[in-house]
Amino acid sequence: MIRLQNVRKRYPGAETDVLCGIDLTIDSHDFVSLVGRSGSGKTTLLNVIGGLDRAFEGEVRVAGHDLQALRDAEISDFRNLTVGFVFQAYHLLDHLTCRENVALAALFTRGESRRDASLVRSRADELLDAVGLQGAGARSPSTLSGGERQRIAIARALFNRPQILLCDEPTGNLDTETGREVVDLLSVLHREREMTIVAATHDEGIATAGVRVLHMRDGLLEVGDGSER
Amino acid sequence: MIGRGWVRTVMKDLVRHWKHFAAAAVGIVLGVAALTFFLALSLQVRDLLLVQIFPADHLEVVPKSADINLFVLRLDLGRDTLDAAVLKDLAALDGVDAVYPKMRLTVPAVASGGSSIFGAGMQTEIVADGIDPQLVAEELKDAFHDVDTGSRGTPCSRGAQCGEDAYCDRAGGSGEGVCRPFVPVLVSPYVVELYNGAFRRAYNLPKLNPDALVGLTFEMTFGASTFRPAARAPIRERMRFVGVSDRAIPLGVTLPLGNVRHLNLVLDSPDAGERYHSAVIELRSKDAAPGVIDAVEAMGLEIRDRGARRAALAMAVIMVVLAIVGFVLIAVAAAHIMHVFYLVVMVRRREIGLLRAVGARRSDIRRLLMSEAAVVGIAAGLVGVAAGIAAGAIADVLAASRLPDFPFKPESFFDFSPWLLASVVALAVVACVLGALPPAIRAASGDPSEALAGR
């Protein structure tokens, strides 16, 4: 599903690489936890896998796509259909309703069926139900708690039924109890929807929820229970 | 990507950042209002000049001159007459309703008479031309028409026997004569003005009332001159003033076309009776003037300028200057729009990164921002047009109450035609979209991760 070979990246102006030659293979339906301190390269690695950052060296293949070779329209469609992102800061748009936030990806999905307003609405409501926020569709995200906002963000990531869910510190802004609820939700998604999930975290709760735990330090993956380095 | 959801997103973005967009739109509103006001004013004044003051529904076509000065002489190397074929071509032009040829008298003529006004008979060399009576039919009815001077009239011994339109011509001065028709003549208002303003003062003559000239008779001898001996036997005719008309030759007298043609044929040559020196074109509508002028010039002919063209040119220059002022205002406003959109893009950097993360293409981001700019342009354009119309209404009220009455004073000084308003709104939209283009391109560039990180 995901294969990285000798991936390197250095930010402009930086003296050292943030990714120092990563080799990584993640199979379908894996739940991988990327654990490491801030600055270890976790977020950058997720961005590379999700096609949010293409200024790197090496080869990245995700769901059969060579991300370096894709043109803008193709990588955009990849982000739209193949991967879903959950961010630490939620990145919800407060001027839209919860339902519109959940259905945000539909704005950029090509194809007639995706433009059907009733289908988009019912899909968004279905996802709001799935994350336990039924009835919140017409509300503004700004009226919700942190945990609820992150659930909306997870629902948004699932809208187009992506194969891969990439979560960057999904509980980083939540208290322990709320964070646990979010972790449970991710576990359910992994179990029931057989999604491939990669979650960057320094939350032990998430780390233990993952089937595989990968440790990152200074741009390198340390050996956990897999074959990666 | 296009649909109700997209429109809703655009409108919500606009509402969310309304203060930014309102600030951006102020310049566009002012520019559009100024442009609307100035162009509507120019259009109305232009219409006033070309329709009422310098009517442009008739054009006089003349052969194109190609004069070359050679010492004291000016050589005319161009064609100086129009023939029947040219008249036919003119009549076939799109927008032309009728063509009225004009012919100059090509032989000298001497006018004499006037003792009833001046106290003593006067005699002067005079130039003449002939026009189609139809050209003045509306203003003079049938008073001006061709007359048959060639056929022999009925015998008479005094004028009363010949009716109102003829006189008893007793060539020998006494005894039996024949009835001959008066030849109707017109003079231009310029002739009367010249006489009353200058000529009468030099010769201590009475001032003339143009209306009272109607019915005055005098004699003209065609083919005779005080400068050179006549080549052929002169023809003497009795003339009668029938009116004053703008269509008459500016200096001289104007006869019916048929009579001038006959005189040229008999006294000059057969060709002289077939060559016209100009033609008056009657346009189907005033709007047809530009197209007809172009077509006439393409035929190698010229339009005789009587002020309308100068007025039109002056108005065109004024319109261009005012339009440039408006365009500059809108261009400055577009630059302002650009700066505001750079600010908006910076504020919305993470949001744009998120849109890219969920699948927006670069073109989607550009389209989103330019859609917002277009809506700003439409709104600003409509408000600007409304402001321009309101300013025009205020100006009209002030003009009605403060300006004294003057000839051709219009009820409104503004022509807010629908096409003008639509064009100005379209211009506002184009200015906003162009202004937003560079920020939109910048917003769409770069990786989403940078935007999400706020870099």
Side-chain angles (χ1 to χ4, degrees):
Chain A
M1 176 61 71
I2 300 170
R3 188 161 62 87
L4 285 74
Q5 281 189 313
N6 194 28
V7 173
R8 292 177 178 276
K9 177 170 176 73
R10 178 180 296 190
Y11 286 110
E15 293 182 353
T16 57
D17 290 344
V18 66
L19 298 179
C20 305
I22 302 285
D23 291 318
L24 173 65
T25 300
I26 298 173
D27 295 328
S28 295
H29 318 310
D30 266 2
F31 188 153
V32 175
S33 298
L34 276 175
V35 182
R37 293 180 182 170
S38 292
S40 61
K42 305 185 300 292
T43 297
T44 303
L45 186 59
L46 282 184
N47 288 341
V48 166
I49 293 171
L52 294 179
D53 189 340
R54 296 207 293 165
F56 61 84
E57 295 174 12
E59 184 182 339
V60 176
R61 295 191 73 86
V62 179
H65 300 286
D66 177 356
L67 298 194
Q68 284 285 48
L70 297 182
R71 292 175 299 174
D72 177 64
E74 293 163 338
I75 193 77
S76 298
D77 290 349
F78 166 80
R79 290 193 292 256
N80 186 244
L81 300 171
T82 309
V83 295
F85 295 94
V86 178
F87 304 100
Q88 178 180 359
Y90 325 131
H91 288 313
L92 297 178
L93 303 178
D94 288 341
H95 63 288
L96 303 182
T97 63
C98 289
R99 184 180 293 114
E100 288 167 340
N101 267 278
V102 170
L104 198 60
L107 284 177
F108 308 105
T109 303
R110 270 66 185 175
E112 285 302 315
S113 62
R114 305 286 185 170
R115 290 184 198 163
D116 187 319
S118 61
L119 284 179
V120 168
R121 184 187 174 93
S122 63
R123 172 67 179 156
D125 287 343
E126 173 193 327
L127 287 168
L128 286 169
D129 283 351
V131 298
L133 286 172
Q134 53 271 52
R139 291 173 64 184
S140 165
S142 62
T143 64
L144 303 179
S145 68
E148 289 170 326
R149 287 166 72 84
Q150 193 60 295
R151 286 166 182 267
I152 296 290
I154 292 170
R156 178 183 65 197
L158 300 175
F159 186 85
N160 275 339
R161 297 182 177 85
Q163 298 165 267
I164 301 162
L165 190 61
L166 302 172
C167 308
D168 186 8
E169 302 280 7
T171 60
N173 283 0
L174 305 177
D175 59 56
T176 308
E177 182 57 32
T178 312
R180 170 55 51 197
E181 289 172 10
V182 169
V183 171
D184 289 345
L185 176 60
L186 292 176
S187 297
V188 169
L189 290 172
H190 172 244
R191 196 170 53 248
E192 295 182 357
R193 303 190 184 216
E194 298 187 332
M195 298 187 71
T196 304
I197 298 177
V198 182
T201 184
H202 45 247
D203 180 334
E204 285 301 319
I206 290 190
T208 54
V211 176
R212 289 170 64 194
V213 179
L214 305 178
H215 293 272
M216 284 198 77
R217 177 183 286 182
D218 300 332
L220 288 168
L221 285 173
E222 296 178 335
V223 176
D225 60 350
S227 59
E228 55 286 342
R229 69 182 176 93
Chain B
M1 188 209 51
I2 302 300
R4 278 186 298 176
W6 180 261
V7 173
R8 197 163 49 237
T9 303
V10 168
M11 296 314 292
K12 285 192 171 185
D13 285 342
L14 289 168
V15 169
R16 189 163 46 116
H17 296 284
W18 73 269
K19 286 182 181 172
H20 286 130
F21 292 125
V26 167
I28 292 288
V29 169
L30 291 176
V32 166
L35 198 60
T36 304
F37 183 90
F38 289 142
L39 288 181
L41 174 64
S42 306
L43 283 176
Q44 181 68 349
V45 174
R46 178 178 171 273
D47 192 54
L48 194 67
L49 276 173
L50 297 185
V51 175
Q52 297 185 41
I53 300 175
F54 300 106
D57 53 350
H58 284 78
L59 301 171
E60 185 164 0
V61 178
V62 294
K64 197 165 191 171
S65 62
D67 294 346
I68 292 178
N69 291 327
L70 185 66
F71 303 109
V72 297
L73 300 178
R74 173 170 288 182
L75 304 180
D76 185 359
L77 304 179
R79 177 175 60 177
D80 70 345
T81 56
L82 309 172
D83 56 24
V86 172
L87 297 180
K88 193 175 173 186
D89 290 344
L90 288 173
L93 292 178
D94 190 27
V96 171
D97 231 9
V99 175
Y100 302 105
K102 296 173 83 171
M103 181 181 286
R104 284 202 201 107
L105 184 69
T106 57
V107 293
V110 174
S112 56
S115 56
S116 61
I117 296 175
F118 307 124
M122 301 186 69
Q123 183 169 302
T124 181
E125 293 270 340
I126 196 164
V127 294
D129 75 351
I131 62 172
D132 189 329
Q134 286 299 315
L135 191 55
V136 290
E138 199 171 318
E139 55 182 313
L140 297 173
K141 310 301 178 199
D142 58 350
F144 187 78
H145 52 83
D146 291 326
V147 294
D148 180 7
T149 56
S151 60
R152 182 163 184 81
T154 55
C156 62
S157 58
R158 61 183 193 282
Q161 295 174 309
C162 300
E164 285 186 2
D165 295 330
Y167 64 100
C168 188
D169 182 15
R170 288 168 293 189
S174 62
E176 195 73 2
V178 290
C179 288
R180 301 196 67 223
F182 289 114
V183 178
V185 295
L186 301 174
V187 292
S188 154
Y190 300 111
V191 173
V192 179
E193 195 57 38
L194 186 67
Y195 171 86
N196 281 338
F199 190 80
R200 72 175 182 87
R201 297 178 197 277
Y203 294 90
N204 196 26
L205 295 172
K207 194 171 184 178
L208 297 180
N209 170 11
D211 294 334
L213 288 177
V214 175
L216 180 73
T217 64
F218 62 99
E219 195 167 87
M220 283 187 72
T221 307
F222 297 96
S225 171
T226 56
F227 296 119
R228 61 180 185 188
R232 297 178 184 170
I235 295 175
R236 193 171 46 84
E237 300 287 0
R238 192 96 192 137
M239 322 301 286
R240 184 164 67 180
F241 277 118
V242 295
V244 178
S245 171
D246 284 328
R247 306 283 179 214
I249 189 170
L251 281 175
V253 292
T254 293
L255 283 58
L257 180 65
N259 290 84
V260 172
R261 183 185 289 128
H262 172 73
L263 291 166
N264 286 347
L265 270 170
V266 173
L267 296 175
D268 189 351
S269 67
D271 283 352
E274 301 298 331
R275 293 193 301 256
Y276 304 95
H277 297 85
S278 67
V280 174
I281 289 179
E282 188 174 283
L283 300 176
R284 198 157 294 147
S285 76
K286 294 169 183 73
D287 296 337
V292 171
I293 289 172
D294 287 345
V296 166
E297 289 177 345
M299 290 171 64
L301 305 171
E302 285 183 329
I303 302 295
R304 177 167 286 164
D305 193 347
R306 284 193 161 179
R309 281 188 115 189
R310 278 194 297 275
L313 182 64
M315 279 315 303
V317 170
I318 291 168
M319 282 182 75
V320 167
V321 170
L322 294 179
I324 287 173
V325 170
F327 277 120
V328 167
L329 284 173
I330 289 178
V332 170
H336 184 52
I337 288 276
M338 186 170 68
H339 286 115
V340 170
F341 266 82
Y342 271 126
L343 178 65
V344 167
V345 160
M346 196 173 71
V347 169
R348 294 165 63 182
R349 192 151 176 73
R350 283 193 171 86
E351 174 191 330
I352 290 168
L354 173 70
L355 298 182
R356 296 272 283 140
V358 299
R361 298 176 181 181
R362 289 195 169 113
S363 58
D364 293 331
I365 299 299
R366 287 196 295 269
R367 205 170 301 151
L368 176 70
L369 291 166
M370 288 164 74
S371 299
E372 292 172 9
V375 175
V376 170
I378 292 170
L382 292 175
V383 173
V385 160
I389 292 173
I394 292 169
D396 276 339
V397 169
L398 290 176
S401 60
R402 304 284 173 86
L403 286 182
D405 280 340
F406 53 83
F408 302 109
K409 184 182 178 184
E411 284 187 14
S412 172
F413 283 86
F414 301 90
D415 177 8
F416 293 108
S417 60
W419 70 264
L420 169 69
L421 304 183
S423 303
V424 173
V425 172
L427 183 65
V429 173
V430 170
C432 284
V433 169
L434 288 180
L437 184 58
I441 290 172
R442 179 183 285 185
S445 63
D447 278 329
S449 60
E450 293 177 15
L452 283 165
R455 288 195 291 270

